[in-house]
Amino acid sequence: MSISSRPGIDPILHADALSKQVESGERRLTILSGLSLSVFPGESVAILGQSGAGKSTLLGLLAGLDTPSGGELSLFGQSLGALDEDGRASLRAGRVGFVFQNFQLLPTLTALENVLLPLELSPSPGAEARARGWLDRVGLGERLDHLPKQLSGGEQQRVALARAFVTGAELVFADEPTGNLDPVTGERIIEALFSLNREAGTTLVLVTHDHALARRCDRCLRLEGGRLAEMAPEEVMA
């Protein structure tokens, strides 16, 4: 059974009885087991869990970056199990954005070039102007030519935010987006993330251990024992 349902509205992302096992020496470890989830257009969903619970593994599966050991998974109404790696990449192109804990910027490219990268996968007129515009929206209009090493951690994450939204993505995945930042900088990134998300009307799925970040989402789920459960408001406030 899915975590949520909305009659008459198709989910943008749907997992049914998802499982993931990995080999560790002579042991087979179960990370996810019988996990089900539906995420609907325009929703923001937070997935919380302790370190080692499998949050990043789950995010990689939902995004089609990894393959499950069992179960069904669909993205934009397309079964990911029916696609090879290239097919999954093609499905994500221009429609899915990512924000990572460690920023994942290419060190030899400037801020502008990093934001341009996803646009170069499907070239279109005005790509550079669009990239410049998104960097300006995150407050980096004067840092276009700076390399990542010349930027602070917060500035690097703002470049990553611009890169995630620049294609007009329908769905953004965020993996501990404030995990490498101090509290003050992290709060600024949270504000920027949710402001951009509201403006763009994007669906957001994020994994985090930060309850303050999770509280900004429409729905909060806990990953525990390989499964997801809805969190009550008082649990998120704790």
Side-chain angles (χ1 to χ4, degrees):
M1 183 177 182
S2 297
I3 292 295
S4 178
S5 62
R6 294 186 178 182
I9 301 177
D10 293 328
I12 197 170
L13 174 66
H14 179 71
D16 184 34
L18 205 64
S19 66
K20 182 66 175 181
Q21 291 89 35
V22 296
E23 302 294 336
S24 178
E26 296 181 356
R27 300 175 57 203
R28 188 169 179 80
L29 300 179
T30 296
I31 301 175
L32 304 173
S33 177
L35 182 149
S36 296
L37 169 68
S38 290
V39 178
F40 294 88
E43 265 198 309
S44 56
V45 178
I47 299 172
L48 292 103
Q50 296 182 344
S51 179
K55 300 187 300 296
S56 294
T57 297
L58 174 58
L59 203 69
L61 291 174
L62 296 177
L65 300 174
D66 192 9
T67 55
S69 303
E72 298 292 330
L73 184 59
S74 64
L75 182 62
F76 306 121
Q78 173 73 55
S79 171
L80 293 185
L83 301 174
D84 59 14
E85 186 175 348
D86 289 342
R88 296 193 300 273
S90 179
L91 181 64
R92 288 191 301 268
R95 304 180 76 183
V96 175
F98 295 94
V99 182
F100 299 97
Q101 178 176 349
N102 59 353
F103 320 135
Q104 296 283 28
L105 302 179
L106 293 184
T108 59
L109 299 185
T110 65
L112 178 60
E113 290 167 340
N114 268 286
V115 176
L116 274 169
L117 269 180
L119 294 175
E120 291 175 351
L121 297 175
S122 50
S124 61
E128 183 172 329
R130 190 188 312 175
R132 287 175 177 270
W134 276 98
L135 281 166
D136 191 54
R137 289 167 83 170
V138 298
L140 292 176
E142 303 299 319
R143 311 298 296 274
L144 303 178
D145 297 324
H146 286 65
L147 295 172
K149 67 181 181 181
Q150 297 171 309
L151 302 172
S152 69
E155 288 171 333
Q156 290 184 60
Q157 193 61 298
R158 280 189 275 160
V159 174
L161 289 178
R163 182 185 58 191
F165 286 93
V166 71
T167 62
E170 299 168 52
L171 173 62
V172 168
F173 291 103
D175 187 355
E176 297 282 11
T178 60
N180 279 347
L181 304 174
D182 64 80
V184 173
T185 303
E187 182 59 34
R188 290 173 181 159
I189 291 299
I190 290 172
E191 290 296 332
L193 172 61
F194 282 92
S195 176
L196 294 176
N197 197 60
R198 282 193 305 272
E199 290 176 27
T202 306
T203 305
L204 175 65
V205 177
L206 65 88
V207 299
T208 183
H209 66 276
D210 185 345
H211 282 222
L213 176 55
R215 284 195 291 270
R216 301 289 296 269
C217 292
D218 299 322
R219 199 153 46 105
C220 297
L221 312 172
R222 178 190 289 110
L223 179 60
E224 189 172 24
R227 296 177 181 242
L228 286 173
E230 293 273 6
M231 293 181 69
E234 57 270 21
E235 291 182 274
V236 186
M237 293 300 294

